[in-house]
Amino acid sequence: MNKVLLFAHLQEAAGKDHLFIQAAGLSVKELRNSLENNETRLSSLQNVMIAINENYATDEDIIEENDVIALIPPVSGG
């Protein structure tokens, strides 16, 4: 089981700050596609950075059992 941390508008859209999902064995790209297809409130993740265990991940990285995943949307500032 993997904990997925949600930040900013993703947290607001989901109504919670994390999800628990089974993602072990998936690539980051497969996880992104799965979340877009199965979590209707998280429909657009194309510009979202994904980190695994506090390290930014590439689409090819493979998720392991018990990894903590963070979905980090782009931020803007002034």
Side-chain angles (χ1 to χ4, degrees), residues 5-68:
L5 304 174
L6 305 172
F7 296 95
H9 75 275
L10 299 175
Q11 190 177 87
E12 293 171 15
K16 49 190 162 188
D17 63 358
H18 67 276
L19 306 168
F20 285 102
I21 63 169
Q22 185 60 48
L26 296 178
S27 70
V28 169
K29 183 176 183 175
E30 290 169 330
L31 170 69
R32 186 186 312 270
N33 292 338
S34 176
L35 288 172
E36 287 179 340
N37 292 330
N38 297 315
E39 296 289 334
T40 56
R41 292 175 264 170
L42 303 178
S43 60
S44 179
L45 300 177
Q46 293 308 308
N47 294 322
V48 171
M49 295 293 298
I50 296 180
I52 300 173
N53 299 326
E54 300 182 8
N55 293 307
Y56 285 111
T58 67
D59 280 348
E60 294 78 29
D61 287 337
I62 302 297
I63 299 164
E64 303 287 334
E65 186 70 26
N66 298 318
D67 280 348
V68 176

